[in-house]
Amino acid sequence: MAVSTDGVAGAGSANWTEVNNDVRAFVSDRDFNQLLRALDTNGDNKISRQEFEAGLSPSLSAAAKNALFTAADVLPDGYLIEAEFMVAKDA
């Protein structure tokens, strides 16, 4: 698994493949509206990097949280919207 409590495992380009797999595993059994209700603290119908990272387990390192968000932020504009969630879910 690429994401652990001490950061992103491995090195090189395989890292991003593993992170992408972790993102797909994270979103596969979730509904975007469920995540939005849990993480969108300011009610703007999108999840900012700060909201996303604050909603993850405190045991994850900052590097792991950053890697997960970066992999999910397809546009990349610093926010997660439903279309990006669906891309990550279907990838």
Side-chain angles (χ1 to χ4, degrees), residues 5-82:
T5 56
D6 33 351
V8 179
S13 61
N15 236 2
W16 285 111
T17 300
E18 291 173 3
V19 169
N20 285 332
N21 289 339
D22 288 345
V23 169
R24 283 195 294 278
F26 178 77
V27 301
S28 66
D29 63 343
R30 289 173 175 79
D31 174 84
F32 182 75
N33 289 324
Q34 175 188 12
L35 288 177
L36 201 59
R37 284 190 302 274
L39 302 177
D40 181 23
T41 57
N42 67 359
D44 63 356
N45 291 320
K46 54 189 175 182
I47 301 168
S48 70
R49 178 181 298 274
Q50 294 77 18
E51 291 168 329
F52 181 84
E53 291 179 359
L56 293 177
S57 170
S59 65
L60 284 175
S61 71
K65 292 177 182 183
N66 181 56
L68 282 171
F69 186 87
T70 300
D73 187 17
V74 176
L75 288 179
D77 60 357
Y79 295 94
L80 301 180
I81 58 172
E82 187 170 14

